[in-house]
Amino acid sequence: MWFLAPLFLLVLVGAFFGLVGYGVGAVADGLSGLKERHAALRGLAALSAAGAAALYAWGLLAVLGAVVTAEDGGTDSSPPRSCRTAGWEERAAAGVEITDYRVGFVPLGFVCETSDGGSYDNGDVPGYVNPGLAGFALAAVASAVSAGWISERRARAAAGGGEAADTGAGAGAGGRAAGRDTSTGAQAADTGTGDGARQEP
């Protein structure tokens, strides 16, 4: 699967620039009043996602470098040079050999496996990458959820105001219709009374 990493790296780079462009514009529009304020939250979510994409790309680049070094054949290719961290010779002298390696994508890491069933990360991925990824991802999700909640609340408030206005308009129309009906009845009664008065001898 690691051989697809270069393609994924290009996707991450493209996503980073796209998210930064959208995020900066949305934050600027939301803060300046050109759009509703929750647009700034959507922009913040995009910028946080861009930060996560940048960190993942950086860590993935480190993993790819370790893989290329490990796959480099030659007279000095065993054990993999990427796994020759501090203390590997002492462990080998004690009978604990490096047998293989694997790539971790979540979290990012280059993991070396040993003959005693153990494993260790070679440390090529900087220690701040995975915690930073988690922080940016949480910030992106929180900002996106907050923006959606605010947008839904405003939509419901607008819908409630429209229903109240429609109800008031209907009540006013009904009152005017009742007034016209009463007036018409009174006029009819008056007409009947006048006709009766004229028919008396």
Side-chain angles (χ1 to χ4, degrees), residues 66-97:
V67 170
V68 169
T69 301
E71 291 292 321
D72 185 22
T75 56
D76 191 30
S77 60
S78 182
R81 286 197 294 271
S82 298
C83 291
R84 299 178 191 181
T85 57
W88 77 272
E89 293 178 327
E90 289 78 3
R91 291 193 297 271
V96 181
E97 301 288 341

Side-chain angles (χ1 to χ4, degrees), residues 94-119:
V96 181
E97 301 288 341
I98 299 170
T99 58
D100 203 355
Y101 69 87
R102 55 187 167 84
V103 173
F105 291 99
V106 181
L108 280 167
F110 185 90
V111 181
C112 302
E113 299 176 344
T114 56
S115 58
D116 61 350
S119 61

Side-chain angles (χ1 to χ4, degrees), residues 19-99:
L19 288 167
V20 168
Y22 171 79
V24 170
V27 169
D29 289 345
L31 295 180
S32 63
L34 294 177
K35 292 184 179 179
E36 295 181 346
R37 289 300 177 93
H38 60 269
L41 284 173
R42 288 198 295 268
L44 183 60
L47 291 176
S48 298
L55 274 180
Y56 198 94
W58 179 247
L60 188 60
L61 194 60
V63 170
L64 281 176
V67 170
V68 169
T69 301
E71 291 292 321
D72 185 22
T75 56
D76 191 30
S77 60
S78 182
R81 286 197 294 271
S82 298
C83 291
R84 299 178 191 181
T85 57
W88 77 272
E89 293 178 327
E90 289 78 3
R91 291 193 297 271
V96 181
E97 301 288 341
I98 299 170
T99 58

Side-chain angles (χ1 to χ4, degrees), residues 121-195:
D121 191 286
N122 76 338
D124 279 6
V125 176
Y128 58 82
V129 168
N130 288 309
L133 272 171
F136 276 122
L138 287 175
V141 171
S143 299
V145 169
S146 298
W149 179 77
I150 293 173
S151 179
E152 183 178 357
R153 188 182 66 175
R154 290 187 176 182
R156 288 181 178 179
E163 290 175 0
D166 292 341
T167 303
R176 289 191 295 271
R180 286 196 297 271
D181 292 343
T182 302
S183 175
T184 303
Q187 290 173 0
D190 291 341
T191 302
T193 303
D195 292 342

